[in-house]
Amino acid sequence: MSKPLPSVTVVIPARYDSSRFPGKPLIKLNGKPLIQHVYERAVASRIVSDVLVATDDDRVKQAVEQFGGRVVMVKEDCRTGTDRVAAVARIIAGELFVNLQGDEIPLNPELLIDLVEPFIRSGAEMGTLKRVMNSTEDLHNPAVVKVVTDARGYALYFSRAPIPLVRADPDRRVVGGLHYIHLGLYMYTKEALRRFTSLPTSPLEEAEKLEQLRGLDNGIRIRVWETKHASLRVDQPEDVPEVAERLQQYDKRELELRGVASE
């Protein structure tokens, strides 16, 4: 008899009072709040056991309940999204947890599968995803996080800087297969979450404002898998029109494909 798969809970941390973009979870994209787009795509993934939003704000709670989503209020002061996920993990049953950031829209539910399936097989304590970078603009954009991994797929470093630096190229152009975008989702065992949140904020984490560096700074190995599936990220107000348009185009294309398939 095959061993049953462990339960996988997706937690979507959603703060209202973002310093760069207050109220971001509730910004409307094609008639729906951003948090609803993220939630619905997570729920559509066949591999997850449960999906819920973790917030400290009643406005976000009401919005999630309005579209029928599950929400947990976390009133304690949390340094990062991972700390908010850990707070949820302390009060609910669950074996494995996914932190899907509230401004990262997985366009295809298979994106979550690209993380969950290899994580379960690997025995890793913490994992995440990367995608090949194709844009030199993204390479030099500090809002786009880059990741460098070793030959076995473990993270060496995450940065907002254009890493790795191609010294021989004075134009600092992107190199496909060398430069990778880091996606805004992580997976952990319950014990790794407990350990992570017990650690002090690390110097690298503070410098780059990247929570995953707390793990690397303290010897937590982070396994990184590659996905080819797209996601859309809202970092600042200027991103909203483009993300809304791309989301609309993607949904329209999916409807057309399903229509063709059903004929």
Side-chain angles (χ1 to χ4, degrees):
M1 183 181 294
S2 60
K3 185 179 178 181
L5 290 175
S7 66
V8 177
T9 302
V10 175
V11 182
I12 306 170
R15 277 196 327 122
Y16 186 91
D17 292 322
S18 166
S19 57
R20 289 188 302 164
F21 193 169
K24 189 190 331 186
L26 304 185
I27 193 73
K28 289 294 180 69
L29 297 169
N30 306 326
K32 293 181 182 179
L34 170 60
I35 192 66
Q36 184 173 355
H37 287 285
V38 179
Y39 186 95
E40 288 178 345
R41 279 167 163 76
V43 167
S45 180
R46 60 181 166 81
I47 204 162
V48 305
S49 311
D50 198 7
V51 179
L52 56 90
V53 174
T55 187
D56 58 355
D57 193 277
D58 287 329
R59 289 162 290 189
V60 176
K61 178 178 183 288
Q62 290 169 10
V64 174
E65 290 175 340
Q66 194 166 15
F67 65 73
R70 286 194 63 206
V71 61
V72 173
M73 292 293 286
V74 179
K75 288 294 190 179
E76 65 187 79
D77 187 25
C78 297
R79 289 172 285 170
T80 68
T82 295
D83 295 290
R84 198 171 299 280
V85 175
V88 172
R90 288 196 293 269
I91 61 175
I92 70 168
E95 299 170 85
L96 303 176
F97 290 83
V98 174
N99 171 0
L100 174 57
Q101 295 183 20
D103 54 7
E104 185 93 34
I105 306 172
L107 287 178
N108 190 317
E110 295 290 315
L111 185 144
L112 280 167
I113 294 171
D114 286 347
L115 174 62
V116 174
E117 284 190 341
F119 184 94
I120 291 172
R121 291 195 302 266
S122 71
E125 56 182 344
M126 182 172 176
T128 190
L129 290 177
K130 67 179 182 179
R131 188 171 58 238
V132 168
M133 183 180 291
N134 299 305
S135 165
T136 295
E137 182 181 351
D138 283 345
L139 181 63
H140 295 278
N141 182 354
V144 178
V145 179
K146 298 85 184 174
V147 60
V148 175
T149 58
D150 68 15
R152 292 190 294 171
Y154 286 96
L156 292 172
Y157 195 61
F158 300 86
S159 182
R160 299 184 182 279
I163 59 169
L165 176 71
V166 181
R167 186 175 177 182
D169 180 11
D171 295 325
R172 305 291 187 254
R173 292 165 295 190
V174 72
V175 179
L178 182 66
H179 294 112
Y180 286 89
I181 292 173
H182 172 238
L183 276 63
L185 68 165
Y186 309 93
M187 189 165 181
Y188 334 73
T189 63
K190 199 163 192 171
E191 172 57 26
L193 260 180
R194 185 204 62 75
R195 180 183 168 202
F196 185 99
T197 199
S198 71
L199 295 167
T201 301
S202 79
L204 290 176
E205 176 186 9
E206 181 62 31
E208 295 256 19
K209 303 302 181 189
L210 295 174
E211 63 204 79
Q212 62 271 37
L213 292 177
R214 189 192 316 171
L216 289 188
D217 246 351
N218 289 278
I220 296 177
R221 304 187 75 194
I222 304 174
R223 187 70 187 272
V224 184
W225 292 278
E226 183 177 350
T227 183
K228 298 186 185 307
H229 293 297
S231 60
L232 297 175
R233 189 172 178 86
V234 179
D235 285 304
Q236 45 201 349
E238 304 89 83
D239 298 333
V240 171
E242 181 184 354
V243 170
E245 183 179 352
R246 290 180 62 190
L247 193 57
Q248 191 171 46
Q249 290 171 352
Y250 182 87
D251 287 343
K252 181 181 178 183
R253 191 161 58 246
E254 286 297 297
L255 284 171
E256 291 171 350
L257 288 172
R258 284 200 288 270
V260 170
S262 64
E263 289 177 0

